[in-house]
Amino acid sequence: MSVGLPDEGKEDRLMKPDSSSAIPLEMEQARQELEAWRSTHRPRCHIPDSLWKRAAELASQHGLYLTSRTLRVDYMRLKKLVQPTSPERKSTALPRFIELMAPTVAGIAECVVELEGAGRRMRIQMKGMGVAELVGLSRMVWSDKS
């Protein structure tokens, strides 16, 4: 015959936390508000933004899993509300002045141009000249005013 000790089972109660004590008070209040809202609305109705905002605040303090499980809300939507989309943008200010640099005109590495017309012929061999400079040079040399 076994004799039961008066404190038998006390150790088990100490090791397993009571489910009501594991939930923070403000989360329990939010859960009750959400349940009250759910009782007055049809299932699958969109939860108001104010309740989502409160859930996000609680999740940032107490964790996503505990909050989504306690409040019975979508974990992934709650995660999106808690995590900012781009933390770098919020921490750095946008510049007030932006300098735009005009692209440099690429020069032609090496070029041979042959012009022919009106009984005249001209051959120009160049290195490192831009296209605009080539056009100006050919007009100057080829013009009838020379």
Side-chain angles (χ1 to χ4, degrees):
M1 173 172 14
S2 68
V3 177
L5 299 173
D7 289 333
E8 187 177 86
K10 182 178 180 183
E11 190 175 322
D12 288 339
R13 285 192 304 269
L14 293 176
M15 295 186 79
K16 294 179 186 175
D18 186 26
S19 61
S20 62
S21 65
I23 299 172
L25 179 63
E26 61 268 9
M27 193 175 300
E28 179 59 30
Q29 291 170 347
R31 186 191 67 75
Q32 290 173 0
E33 286 178 28
L34 196 54
E35 290 303 320
W37 179 86
R38 283 183 176 133
S39 68
T40 61
H41 292 80
R42 59 184 165 78
R44 303 277 184 203
C45 190
H46 292 285
I47 297 172
D49 290 338
S50 60
L51 293 176
W52 274 113
K53 183 179 177 184
R54 184 159 182 207
E57 290 170 359
L58 290 169
S60 64
Q61 294 173 1
H62 303 288
L64 285 167
Y65 177 74
L66 179 65
T67 306
S68 67
R69 186 189 69 189
T70 304
L71 301 180
R72 296 186 310 123
V73 295
D74 181 35
Y75 178 89
M76 293 309 290
R77 180 164 180 195
L78 186 61
K79 184 177 180 180
K80 287 178 185 176
L81 292 173
V82 171
Q83 295 178 343
T85 54
S86 57
E88 295 81 22
R89 280 200 168 190
K90 289 184 178 182
S91 63
T92 59
L94 295 175
R96 293 183 182 198
F97 176 78
I98 299 173
E99 182 179 3
L100 300 175
M101 303 296 290
T104 58
V105 178
I108 301 171
E110 189 171 341
C111 180
V112 176
V113 178
E114 292 184 9
L115 301 172
E116 200 174 311
R120 297 187 271 179
R121 187 176 182 169
M122 177 171 46
R123 181 172 192 233
I124 304 171
Q125 186 174 356
M126 318 172 268
K127 290 184 181 181
M129 183 178 274
V131 176
E133 296 165 325
L134 172 63
V135 171
L137 177 64
S138 62
R139 283 185 182 162
M140 184 178 69
V141 172
W142 201 259
S143 71
D144 288 334
K145 295 179 183 175
S146 55

